Amino acid sequence: MGYMLEIHSACKCFGRGTVNEHKALEKVDLFLAPGDFVTVLGSNGAGKSTLFNAICGNFLLDSGQICLDGADITFMPEYKRSLKIGRLFQDPMRGTAPSLSIQENLALAYSKQKKRSFSLALTRKDREYFRQELARFDMGLEDRMETRVGLLSGGQRQVVTLLMSTLVPPKLLLLDEHTAALDPATARKVMAITHQIVERSQITTMMITHDMQQALETGNRTIMLDGGGVLFDMDQETRKDLTVDRLLDMYSEKKKARFSNDRSLLV
């Protein structure tokens, strides 16, 4: 079986040769099968968002290769990758045009993915399709299709953005702490909708989270980044009975072992 996402020895260093030099990605190897739902853990500066930025083409790698569904996208421009990759951010304000209505935002995303010209004059067929998709989420958004997105709550906006990213299922969906800015009840609702969308279309997904319990319970695999590299890569069986406390112990043990090895190099 081929992989949906292949990352080979990805390296990225910012500020090379200066006092602010930072190795953001260090020989990252990562392979996702079609339909994988991978949760991504790591402390601040571990390389989580940098990895997503590299996949999306916000910058080019210093070395390494990225392939998506068998195609090499290492040097593909960001705007072309966006046709194949959906991404949600922590900030509900990102990803939508606040002055446009819900249906106009959906039409914009839909026309982009279908590679056709965008028109504010929506067809009845498109409008009904958007209404049906919104109704699945039981948030009443199907009755507010003409409401400007800027007037929606954070949770409502994230749901609209999520639907915009998946109306035409992408090859890969990247969720960059997309529920972190929401209150707990709304975050649970948005996560439930996320599962619904991902499972229905079997979208290969990566989700950054700081919630370790959520990471161990969501999807079928968890990776932990540290210092720009993959510290752990746990499949469903490995993490099945894993507790947060045990994961923290494993992290500490691995860090100590790495520190000891690094010190031995200086002796």
Side-chain angles (χ1 to χ4, degrees):
M1 179 180 65
Y3 292 108
M4 179 57 71
L5 178 68
E6 302 172 62
I7 301 178
H8 301 270
S9 298
C11 294
K12 183 64 182 180
C13 180
F14 295 106
R16 187 181 298 277
T18 72
V19 294
N20 295 318
E21 180 174 310
H22 172 59
K23 292 183 179 179
L25 296 176
E26 183 67 15
K27 296 182 180 178
V28 172
D29 290 308
L30 188 62
F31 306 92
L32 271 63
D36 269 352
F37 192 146
V38 180
T39 54
V40 184
L41 287 169
S43 59
N44 291 332
K48 304 183 300 299
S49 290
T50 303
L51 177 61
F52 276 19
N53 289 338
I55 294 170
C56 289
N58 297 133
F59 54 74
L60 297 181
L61 295 174
D62 295 334
S63 61
Q65 183 185 43
I66 302 174
C67 295
L68 185 65
D69 196 20
D72 189 338
I73 64 169
T74 309
F75 299 104
M76 182 180 287
E78 181 180 1
Y79 76 92
K80 287 189 176 181
R81 297 192 204 192
S82 69
L83 298 175
K84 305 171 184 290
I85 300 172
R87 186 175 184 180
L88 267 73
F89 296 88
Q90 178 177 339
D91 183 0
M93 300 295 286
R94 298 183 66 173
T96 56
S99 62
L100 296 181
S101 68
I102 292 176
Q103 64 184 10
E104 288 168 345
N105 271 274
L106 293 175
L108 183 61
Y110 192 54
S111 60
K112 172 185 172 185
Q113 294 297 331
K114 287 293 187 179
K115 298 179 182 178
R116 65 187 192 188
S117 60
F118 171 62
S119 172
L120 292 179
L122 301 174
T123 67
R124 179 180 298 179
K125 182 179 178 181
D126 285 347
R127 188 179 289 107
E128 185 56 34
Y129 174 54
F130 299 157
R131 183 181 298 278
Q132 289 175 358
E133 291 300 302
L134 288 167
R136 294 177 184 272
F137 308 141
D138 194 28
M139 295 182 74
L141 292 172
E142 68 276 13
D143 298 320
R144 302 184 63 188
M145 296 246 296
E146 296 183 8
T147 299
R148 286 184 303 174
V149 168
L151 299 177
L152 300 178
S153 68
Q156 291 170 332
R157 182 177 287 210
Q158 282 295 57
V159 169
V160 171
T161 307
L162 183 59
L163 183 55
M164 288 171 64
S165 299
T166 57
L167 270 173
V168 178
K171 301 285 187 183
L172 179 68
L173 179 62
L174 301 179
L175 306 172
D176 196 343
E177 296 190 84
H178 72 306
T179 64
L182 308 176
D183 66 82
T186 304
R188 286 192 295 271
K189 178 71 173 177
V190 172
M191 271 307 306
I193 292 172
T194 301
H195 282 295
Q196 178 184 338
I197 290 174
V198 168
E199 289 174 7
R200 187 179 63 164
S201 299
Q202 287 296 294
I203 302 171
T204 307
T205 303
M206 296 178 70
M207 183 182 82
I208 294 174
T209 178
H210 275 102
D211 187 330
M212 290 192 173
Q213 190 63 49
Q214 182 186 56
L216 294 175
E217 295 173 350
T218 302
N220 66 314
R221 186 172 157 199
T222 298
I223 65 171
M224 178 177 280
L225 299 180
D226 184 72
V230 178
L231 193 64
F232 293 117
D233 189 340
M234 299 170 283
D235 60 19
Q236 187 80 305
E237 186 64 27
T238 302
R239 66 177 198 170
K240 183 174 64 175
D241 299 316
L242 194 63
T243 64
V244 171
D245 286 341
R246 178 55 190 147
L247 179 58
L248 289 170
D249 288 341
M250 290 167 58
Y251 174 75
S252 297
E253 291 164 8
K254 194 84 168 181
K255 290 282 284 186
K256 287 177 183 176
R258 177 184 286 180
F259 180 69
S260 297
N261 290 338
D262 288 345
R263 285 190 63 184
S264 69
L265 296 174
L266 302 175
V267 175

